[in-house]
Amino acid sequence: MIEIKNLNKSFNTANGTIVALHDISLTIQDGEIFGIIGLSGAGKSTLVRCINLLERPTSGDVILDGKSLTGLPQKELLQVRQTIGMIFQGFNLLTQRNILQNVCYPLEIAGFKKKDAVKRAVELIELVGLSDRQKSYPSQLSGGQKQRVAIARALATKPRYLLCDEATSALDPNTTQSILDLLKEINKTMGVTIIVITHEMKVIDQICDRVAVIDNSRIAETGYVSDVFTNPQSDIAIDLILPKANTTETMVGEHRLRIIFDGEASSKPVIANLILECQVPVNILFADTRDIEGKAYGQMILQLPDDTRQQERVLSYLKVNKIAFSKEV
Amino acid sequence: MISEMFQKLWDNGIIQMGIWETIYMTVLATLFSYGIGMPLGLILSVTDKDGIHPMRVLNRILGIIVNIFRSIPFIILMVAMLPVAKFIVGTSLGNQAMIVTLVIAAAPYVARMVESSIKEVDAGVIEAAQAMGTSSFKLVYKVLIPEAKPALIIGSVISMVTILGYSAMAGTIGGGGLGQIAITYGYQRYNNDIIWVCIILTILIVQIIQEAGTRITHKTDKRIS
């Protein structure tokens, strides 16, 4: 379990002090995939670097399995880092070492015997599906392959935690998908707790159990992905998750209605039933639904006819059927 | 047209000796310069404020010392360092004394060369190594030096050619080699052809060093596939 307690981080620059993180508190449970999402510059990369103390927090503490990391002497901190794997947007492989040697690197640092290190590295390279590229150098691999090597390297010392700093941001959609699948598999089969930093909703959507939305150096909200996605509370989460508010501003016509699907309701043909029952021709201005853990979530913006009686019929139908909605102004 | 003087020098093996002395001085001075300059350059890059182990005061002091030695023109530094040469090798004349002065002049240059090569190593790779629990010491010899290897080799070729140039100047104050031949037999006795022979031989030596360096770099740099 990782506990982040009242963590603050500020940088002193020539132009004064910049606050990167403000009073961050988070608890990450064993075995979960925890997402941290925010716009660039929100402080999420700094936050993940504070977990393994690549960045020293200005104040506050990081507690790993009950042990405070900020007070550890350097030597012990280095050992703790060997139990926390990390992968990066830029892969950061050693350019002058081949794939096998790259995966062996953390094992060398951890003091494994050469023979044991090679054996473990070969296993991991096989796990990430690159057995035929052991002797290749990073310059000869594609981005997705490089990230696979980085994952193998990060897992070499059997860490219990894996930090992913924008690990898929430099990859194309297909490759992103395969890397996400791999991370999910690692989480399930090896029980590695994964912390994912990203600015992409899709990544959170697909693999995370819980999510923290970070904005302007602070945590805006935290919760289960399904809860945050269906019912975002903070402005930034609404911005990130729901379609932008300005999409409605540009829409013409009055009497707009935002319908919110909560997973179960969208398995039913809600709109079709509404039209059939109320005998009202509604106009779909906008629709966006997502599949979260097998359930569909999302929202739709409808335009109702000018007739007030028809409008009321629709509203009462929605109320009776317990479908969440809000009037758009 | 080849002069009598050239014929005489060649027959007496003076030209051949000059080539040998130039190579000998250059190679030994380069090796010793790296012996001092390499650790110095590593310390400079590691203790820099953006380095892996910032140590401001040490970095400043070393930086100033390096800059002082680098700002003295070689011909003056060489004369000034003759007593040091006498102290170290027991004489202020001859090639051994010249090697000492060459090393004193070249080591700070090498240090800056090494420093800039090390600073070229991708910060992300360093960060990844740190995230894996690498100590600063291991980071130097397991990451910084291997990752900077191609740049270090290119740097050593440039340093060697610079030292070769310095070694020619050593001819003016009692050193041997092609520089001394060009000055004593060419310039002072008005034999232009001797000067030209020395120039051509020097160019050849530089070309060989350069070519060998390029090949080694190309062979060892894994970024080029």
Side-chain angles (χ1 to χ4, degrees):
Chain A
M1 190 165 79
I2 300 174
E3 291 163 274
I4 298 168
K5 283 190 172 163
N6 306 103
L7 191 112
N8 286 284
K9 173 75 188 176
S10 46
F11 293 101
N12 293 317
T13 68
N15 303 324
T17 306
I18 293 171
V19 177
L21 295 171
H22 183 82
D23 198 27
I24 304 277
S25 292
L26 277 178
T27 303
I28 294 148
Q29 302 293 346
D30 282 349
E32 72 176 341
I33 303 186
F34 192 90
I36 298 170
I37 189 165
L39 302 170
S40 47
K44 51 197 193 307
S45 277
T46 308
L47 177 56
V48 79
R49 277 164 182 71
C50 281
I51 294 176
N52 59 7
L53 259 60
L54 281 178
E55 294 281 4
R56 282 238 162 227
T58 313
S59 68
D61 206 352
V62 178
I63 297 161
L64 189 92
D65 301 325
K67 189 157 69 175
S68 159
L69 299 190
T70 48
L72 282 185
Q74 183 69 10
K75 213 173 170 185
E76 279 179 57
L77 176 64
L78 293 178
Q79 277 167 359
V80 168
R81 282 191 189 153
Q82 290 169 13
T83 67
I84 310 174
M86 188 168 187
I87 58 173
F88 304 85
Q89 178 170 9
F91 321 121
N92 297 345
L93 299 175
L94 295 152
T95 58
Q96 304 294 336
R97 282 180 173 229
N98 67 27
I99 301 322
L100 185 65
Q101 291 165 334
N102 258 288
V103 180
C104 280
Y105 178 85
L107 298 163
E108 283 168 28
I109 297 299
F112 277 64
K113 284 197 193 111
K114 177 113 203 272
K115 219 177 85 184
D116 300 332
V118 170
K119 190 167 164 259
R120 171 89 182 129
V122 168
E123 280 170 23
L124 280 156
I125 294 169
E126 194 183 340
L127 174 83
V128 299
L130 287 171
S131 293
D132 52 335
R133 303 305 298 268
Q134 277 181 26
K135 299 279 183 243
S136 299
Y137 284 87
S139 64
Q140 297 164 316
L141 301 184
S142 69
Q145 289 172 324
K146 281 183 206 168
Q147 198 58 291
R148 282 170 183 274
V149 176
I151 291 170
R153 183 175 70 171
L155 295 174
T157 49
K158 299 192 179 165
R160 298 187 43 226
Y161 303 96
L162 178 63
L163 310 177
C164 308
D165 183 23
E166 296 278 8
T168 58
S169 300
L171 304 173
D172 64 58
N174 285 339
T175 317
T176 295
Q177 190 59 53
S178 75
I179 294 293
L180 292 180
D181 291 342
L182 179 61
L183 289 175
K184 200 155 194 174
E185 187 193 319
I186 286 162
N187 170 257
K188 279 214 173 104
T189 58
M190 301 166 76
V192 178
T193 307
I194 301 180
I195 295 148
V196 178
I197 300 289
T198 185
H199 65 272
E200 295 170 300
M201 276 328 295
K202 198 182 147 228
V203 172
I204 302 287
D205 198 345
Q206 288 198 338
I207 63 169
C208 294
D209 301 310
R210 288 198 303 142
V211 63
V213 185
I214 181 164
D215 180 39
N216 206 3
S217 315
R218 291 154 210 262
I219 291 186
E221 66 180 288
T222 328
Y224 286 96
V225 171
S226 45
D227 293 341
V228 174
F229 269 45
T230 46
N231 197 10
Q233 299 296 318
S234 59
D235 291 344
I236 181 71
I238 290 169
D239 257 11
L240 282 164
I241 295 157
L242 298 179
K244 295 265 184 296
N246 60 17
T247 50
T248 56
E249 278 166 27
T250 57
M251 283 177 190
V252 288
E254 287 170 294
H255 318 306
R256 291 192 306 269
L257 205 61
R258 187 188 290 264
I259 295 187
I260 296 141
F261 298 104
D262 62 358
E264 270 174 277
S266 70
S267 62
K268 290 182 259 167
V270 176
I271 303 299
N273 286 346
L274 179 144
I275 295 166
L276 288 173
E277 238 173 82
C278 308
Q279 297 291 316
V280 175
V282 299
N283 183 16
I284 299 173
L285 290 173
F286 180 87
D288 182 30
T289 56
R290 290 174 200 273
D291 184 42
I292 300 166
E293 289 164 346
K295 288 177 186 171
Y297 294 92
Q299 56 174 333
M300 194 176 268
I301 295 171
L302 299 180
Q303 188 185 18
L304 305 180
D306 289 336
D307 187 295
T308 43
R309 272 193 307 186
Q310 284 185 326
Q311 287 173 16
E312 268 162 28
R313 248 187 291 161
V314 171
L315 294 181
S316 61
Y317 174 85
L318 291 172
K319 273 177 200 153
V320 169
N321 288 279
K322 294 195 172 65
I323 297 163
F325 68 94
S326 62
K327 279 187 185 170
E328 289 287 310
V329 195
Chain B
M1 219 192 77
I2 289 178
S3 69
E4 243 174 87
M5 178 62 83
F6 177 80
Q7 195 65 45
K8 229 167 151 187
L9 291 179
W10 182 265
D11 291 344
N12 291 329
I14 288 175
I15 301 267
Q16 294 90 320
M17 189 64 184
I19 297 171
W20 164 244
E21 282 178 336
T22 294
I23 293 172
Y24 162 85
M25 275 197 290
T26 306
V27 171
L28 277 186
T30 307
L31 285 177
F32 288 128
S33 300
Y34 267 84
I36 299 168
M38 181 88 180
L40 197 54
L42 285 170
I43 294 170
L44 281 170
S45 56
V46 166
T47 59
D48 186 77
K49 72 172 173 25
D50 299 320
I52 56 170
H53 199 101
M55 290 169 80
R56 210 165 162 185
V57 177
L58 179 67
N59 189 272
R60 263 288 173 76
I61 293 170
L62 287 179
I64 289 170
I65 294 172
V66 164
N67 287 346
I68 288 172
F69 276 90
R70 288 206 56 204
S71 50
I72 305 170
F74 177 61
I75 196 108
I76 299 169
L77 184 68
M78 195 166 55
V79 182
M81 286 302 132
L82 286 177
V84 180
K86 183 156 185 158
F87 177 75
I88 294 173
V89 293
T91 172
S92 57
L93 284 173
N95 293 332
Q96 281 180 337
M98 289 311 118
I99 288 172
V100 174
T101 63
L102 280 172
V103 169
I104 293 168
Y109 178 81
V110 168
R112 288 292 186 211
M113 207 66 139
V114 170
E115 184 192 8
S116 76
S117 301
I118 296 291
K119 280 184 177 169
E120 264 177 51
V121 175
D122 183 3
V125 174
I126 295 170
E127 190 179 43
Q130 285 174 327
M132 288 185 272
T134 313
S135 64
S136 295
F137 184 66
K138 279 188 177 170
L139 198 59
V140 172
Y141 78 88
K142 274 186 173 289
V143 178
L144 293 183
I145 296 174
E147 286 292 300
K149 196 171 67 182
L152 287 170
I153 294 171
I154 293 169
S156 71
V157 170
I158 298 172
S159 303
M160 205 169 187
V161 171
T162 306
I163 290 169
L164 182 91
Y166 285 172
S167 82
M169 282 186 242
T172 56
I173 57 154
L178 291 170
Q180 186 248 339
I181 293 172
I183 289 161
T184 355
Y185 298 97
Y187 177 69
Q188 286 169 356
R189 298 193 195 172
Y190 306 105
N191 289 304
N192 277 335
D193 58 331
I194 300 293
I195 296 175
W196 282 107
V197 166
C198 290
I199 289 173
I200 290 163
L201 287 170
T202 312
I203 292 171
L204 279 175
I205 296 172
V206 170
Q207 284 300 323
I208 290 167
I209 295 170
Q210 192 70 56
E211 185 61 28
T214 311
R215 284 196 187 187
I216 295 170
T217 314
H218 212 83
K219 247 202 175 136
T220 56
D221 191 355
K222 307 302 182 192
R223 289 171 300 181
I224 310 158
S225 50

